[in-house]
Amino acid sequence: MRILLLILAALTLAACGAPPPPDTPTRRITLPTAQPLPPMKTFAVPKVSPPGQSNTAIARDFLDLSFALESGRQLPVLTRFEGPISVRITGNAPASVGPDLARLLSRLRREAGISITQVPPDQPASITIEVMARSELQRYVPQAACFVVPRLSSWEEFKRLRRTDAVDWTTLQTRERMSIFLPGDVSPQEARDCLHEELAQALGPLNDLYRLGDSVFNDDNFHAVLTGFDMLILRAYYHPSLQSGMTREQVAARLPAILAQLNPRGQGIADTLPSRTPRAWIEAIEEALGPRTSDARRQAAAKRAVSIARQQGWTDNRMAFSLFALGRLALSGESDIALASFLQAGVLYKSRPETQLQAAHVSMQLAAFALSSGQADTAIQMVDESLGIVVQAENAALLSTLLMIKAEALEVQGRVVEAQAVRRDSLGWARYGFGSDDSVRARLSEIAALSSRVKAAG
C-alpha cells in the first residue's frame, strides 16, 4: 500500500520558498502564465542497475518481505499466482496509465520472467486495476494513496466485503484474483508510482522494510519505479523451485540455490548482518510522517527517531532517513536544524551506492538553500551532480524541480539564454511529475521565489 506520508510532499520547499516581507525590495517574478506549456516529457528506455547486496542479504530480505505484512502480522505460507497472469484496467483511467502499464508489464516479462499480459476491460482478469477519484478512494481508506486487496475484482466488491475475511491476506493459500485501486485525478507520475508498487505487491511480497536502500518495498517512498533489486526479488518469487503454500523454512532452504542461479555476482559479496529495527523507531517515523497530528508533535517524533537511531549506532539508510525527516519538518521554523539535518543525511546517503537517489533528494533541498542565499555556483553544482541518478530513477517531479533551481541559479549569474532553455526543459518534465498546468506553474513560482531577493539585490 502506498501511504500518504509527508515524504510524498518532500518537494514543497516550505520555508525556502516563502515570499519576502512586503517591505523587502524585490524584482518582479516573470512566469510564462499566458503561454502554453511545452509537451509532457516521459522516460524512454529503463536504466536498471543490478543489486549490490550479497545473496545472503537478499535471501534474508526476501524472507522478511514475503512472510509478514506491513502491520507486522506474520504470513504462514508463501502465496503467488500459479500460471499465466492477466491484467485489466477499469474505471476512468487518464491517458498516461495505459502506456505506463504496458511499459511495466514489458519489464516484468523481461526482467522478472513473469508471464503477464493485459486483457480488455470487459474480460475477466487475474488482476483488476480500477481507477477512481481520489476522494472516493480515501473515503474508505483515508491514509492510502492506492492499495491492493486479495480475492476481489471490483470496487463494489471491496465496499461490500472490506470488513470480512475475504480481504485477509493471512488466510490465502494461493493467489487467483486481486484488485488494485488507484486515483485517476492525480499527476501521471503519482498514478505510475501506484502502478509499480501495488502491482509488485499484487504479484509478490506484501511487506516493506525501512532498511532497504534500493527498493520500492520501503515506506520511505524514495523509489517509485521497480529497481533491479525488486525485479530480482520477483524473479525469485516466481522461480519454478517455489510454489504457493510453502512455509518460511521450506522457502529458506531453497533460496540459496535460486539466488546463486539468478544472481551469481551476489555470491562473492560479503554479507553484513543488519541490526533489528526497533518498533519504537518505526512508530516515531510513522508519527513524524503521519497526516493526523500537529506539526509540533511530528517534529518531536522526528527528533525521537533520530535519537533512537543514534542509540542503535546506525549509519545506514535508517539513520539518514531519520535526519531527512527531521530536516523536512524543521524547514518551517528551525532552518538551522533543517540545514544541519540535511547535511548529515546527505553524507550518509552519498556513502552508499544503493542510496544515491536519496542523496539527490537531499541535494535538492541543499541546492534550494544555496540558491536562496545567493550561492548560484553551489546550487548548479549540486543539481548537475544529481541529474543522472534522478533520470535513472524516473522521478520527473524531482528532475523538474532540480532543473527549475538550476534555471534560477543561471539567471542569478546573468546567463539568461541558458536559463530559459533549462527552464523550458523543466516544464516538460513537470507536466508528468506534477500534472495540471496550475500545479506546474505553482512549482515554478515557488522556485522563482527562492532567488527573488538575490535578484533584487543584484
Side-chain angles (χ1 to χ4, degrees):
M1 179 187 296
R2 181 160 284 266
I3 305 295
L4 284 178
L5 302 177
L6 286 182
I7 194 65
L8 294 178
L11 305 179
T12 53
L13 301 166
C16 299
D23 57 350
T24 301
T26 62
R27 191 178 83 183
R28 181 179 179 84
I29 300 171
T30 303
L31 301 177
T33 54
Q35 300 176 3
L37 296 175
M40 181 173 68
K41 291 191 172 189
T42 56
F43 297 96
V45 180
K47 299 177 181 178
V48 182
S49 298
Q53 303 94 317
S54 71
N55 280 346
T56 300
I58 294 172
R60 183 167 53 244
D61 294 337
F62 183 102
L63 294 170
D64 288 348
L65 287 169
S66 303
F67 286 93
L69 298 172
E70 293 178 41
S71 64
R73 292 178 68 197
Q74 298 300 299
L75 294 168
V77 295
L78 181 84
T79 63
R80 68 180 192 184
F81 288 98
E82 303 293 344
I85 303 164
S86 56
V87 181
R88 66 174 181 168
I89 301 176
T90 63
N92 189 22
S96 64
V97 169
D100 279 339
L101 176 62
R103 193 162 176 259
L104 174 56
L105 296 182
S106 176
R107 284 193 62 199
L108 288 167
R109 289 190 292 268
R110 185 176 65 255
E111 299 174 40
I114 296 175
S115 177
I116 186 167
T117 55
Q118 186 173 352
V119 298
D122 59 350
Q123 291 187 14
S126 313
I127 301 172
T128 297
I129 301 170
E130 186 161 349
V131 184
M132 65 194 67
R134 187 205 292 265
S135 59
E136 171 67 6
L137 187 150
Q138 292 178 357
R139 189 176 151 205
Y140 290 88
V141 188
Q143 293 187 359
C146 45
F147 61 98
V148 59
V149 292
R151 297 191 178 103
L152 307 182
S153 295
S154 72
W155 182 246
E156 290 304 317
E157 277 187 298
F158 171 74
K159 289 192 294 185
R160 189 173 68 252
L161 300 173
R162 69 185 189 279
R163 301 186 189 280
T164 71
D165 288 345
V167 295
D168 185 350
W169 290 97
T170 66
T171 64
L172 278 185
Q173 293 296 311
T174 188
R175 303 189 193 187
E176 297 175 341
R177 286 194 303 155
M178 296 281 164
S179 275
I180 294 171
F181 303 115
L182 60 87
D185 50 350
V186 295
S187 72
Q189 178 167 315
E190 186 171 344
R192 180 211 62 189
D193 295 355
C194 279
L195 279 177
H196 276 250
E197 180 167 341
E198 304 310 329
L199 190 53
Q201 291 195 317
L203 294 169
L206 297 164
N207 196 12
D208 282 328
L209 298 173
Y210 279 108
R211 69 174 185 254
L212 301 180
D214 185 23
S215 175
V216 301
F217 297 111
N218 187 329
D219 268 340
D220 65 13
N221 290 328
F222 280 115
H223 282 279
V225 300
L226 294 174
T227 66
F229 172 89
D230 299 328
M231 287 297 184
L232 176 60
I233 291 292
L234 288 172
R235 182 176 281 275
Y237 210 89
Y238 282 84
H239 193 274
S241 297
L242 302 181
Q243 62 186 22
S244 294
M246 294 180 70
T247 65
R248 182 183 178 113
E249 291 72 23
Q250 290 172 324
V251 172
R254 300 190 183 185
L255 272 180
I258 292 172
L259 291 174
Q261 175 195 344
L262 299 180
N263 188 44
R265 68 190 302 272
Q267 293 295 96
I269 300 175
D271 178 45
T272 302
L273 185 67
S275 62
R276 184 183 64 87
T277 304
R279 189 67 207 173
W281 180 86
I282 295 174
E283 291 172 353
I285 285 292
E286 288 176 347
E287 183 176 358
L289 302 178
R292 294 187 173 185
T293 189
S294 67
D295 290 346
R297 290 191 62 180
R298 277 195 287 265
Q299 189 168 339
K303 290 178 178 179
R304 191 163 66 252
V306 170
S307 177
I308 294 171
R310 285 181 174 145
Q311 290 170 9
Q312 293 293 316
W314 292 338
T315 59
D316 60 7
N317 185 51
R318 295 167 294 182
M319 179 75 249
F321 185 52
S322 304
L323 290 163
F324 182 83
L326 178 57
R328 280 287 301 116
L329 291 164
L331 271 174
S332 60
E334 297 180 278
S335 59
D336 55 337
I337 292 179
L339 180 57
S341 298
F342 287 139
L343 287 169
Q344 294 174 64
V347 169
L348 292 173
Y349 280 140
K350 285 182 179 180
S351 69
R352 294 172 177 264
E354 71 272 16
T355 53
Q356 295 308 296
L357 176 60
Q358 291 89 327
H361 278 271
V362 174
S363 291
M364 183 274 292
Q365 298 285 357
L366 294 175
F369 272 103
L371 177 61
S372 64
S373 61
Q375 302 175 63
D377 288 346
T378 300
I380 292 171
Q381 180 182 352
M382 287 182 172
V383 169
D384 287 344
E385 289 174 351
S386 302
L387 293 179
I389 188 64
V390 174
V391 170
Q392 181 176 344
E394 302 188 20
N395 190 324
L398 179 57
L399 177 60
S400 65
T401 302
L402 287 165
L403 291 173
M404 288 177 189
I405 291 173
K406 182 176 181 177
E408 289 298 318
L410 289 168
E411 279 199 354
V412 169
Q413 293 181 333
R415 299 157 65 182
V416 178
V417 175
E418 291 178 72
Q420 290 173 343
V422 172
R423 185 175 292 112
R424 184 168 182 82
D425 190 25
S426 76
L427 295 176
W429 293 114
R431 295 196 68 183
Y432 186 85
F434 298 111
S436 71
D437 288 4
D438 287 345
S439 297
V440 172
R441 291 190 169 104
R443 176 47 46 94
L444 197 63
S445 180
E446 288 176 359
I447 302 302
L450 292 172
S451 62
S452 59
R453 298 186 208 186
V454 177
K455 291 177 181 177

